[in-house]
Amino acid sequence: MDDRIERILRGELSWNEYFGLGHEVLTAMAAYGHNLYTQGRYEDAEKLFEGLKVLDRNSYYGYAGLGAIYLQRGEFAAAEAELRQAIELDPGQASLRANLFEALLRQSKLDEAVAAYEAARELDPQGENESVNRAGHLVAALAGLATGSEESR
């Protein structure tokens, strides 16, 4: 048997490295998956992101894409798991933290959601990231609801 297969099984080599596809191919696949996602073609995007995870389990692309899809579908625990893995692989992505915030919030994990939101804001202090801004709008709406309910007492 090819020694490289054993290295894949031990986690020392990715399928991407085995086939010699290169990082550019993964990036192009991730971009195409994102396009499918934005077009609402979630099943096609899911297949592509699953493939990215198989090709290179050390690349955050597949996990991030699946996290966004599961979040869209309302599968919040699955979204949380995928997003946590993506964050572990690339902790500097503000949008991952913002999506994690939403997944946690929808599961009523409020303390964890606040921490994820704060981390997203730290990574995007200029407020340029659309996902972080969307999370900020959710926070503002929730704060408004909380204030309104306290005033009605």
Side-chain angles (χ1 to χ4, degrees):
M1 179 188 296
D2 187 340
D3 178 56
R4 294 180 301 165
I5 299 294
E6 287 298 322
R7 291 181 57 215
I8 289 170
L9 296 175
R10 291 191 304 265
E12 298 169 0
L13 186 71
S14 71
W15 285 107
N16 182 42
E17 292 166 325
Y18 179 84
F19 291 118
L21 299 175
H23 182 72
E24 299 78 26
V25 172
L26 289 182
T27 303
M29 289 175 70
Y32 188 68
H34 181 264
N35 288 339
L36 293 170
Y37 174 84
T38 59
Q39 295 169 16
R41 295 175 55 191
Y42 302 123
E43 289 182 25
D44 291 335
E46 181 179 17
K47 291 174 190 172
L48 198 136
F49 290 131
E50 285 286 356
L52 284 169
K53 282 177 47 176
V54 170
L55 283 172
D56 192 345
R57 64 179 163 230
N58 294 315
S59 173
Y60 82 96
Y61 296 129
Y63 301 99
L66 288 171
I69 289 169
Y70 296 151
L71 188 59
Q72 178 69 28
R73 287 185 184 159
E75 298 172 22
F76 303 122
E80 176 188 351
E82 296 293 340
L83 292 165
R84 287 190 185 280
Q85 184 64 38
I87 289 167
E88 185 176 314
L89 294 168
D90 192 350
Q93 295 287 334
S95 58
L96 296 175
R97 308 263 181 179
N99 286 347
L100 179 61
F101 156 77
E102 188 173 344
L104 293 166
L105 181 66
R106 303 238 183 208
Q107 296 177 83
S108 299
K109 297 180 177 181
L110 300 182
D111 291 339
E112 291 178 74
V114 168
Y117 175 69
E118 289 173 350
R121 293 294 305 160
E122 284 180 25
L123 291 168
D124 183 41
Q126 306 303 321
E128 297 172 353
N129 185 290
E130 183 180 318
S131 297
V132 177
N133 292 337
R134 184 181 68 244
H137 294 304
L138 277 171
V139 169
L142 291 171
L145 288 173
T147 302
S149 70
E150 287 178 12
E151 290 174 0
S152 66
R153 288 183 190 176

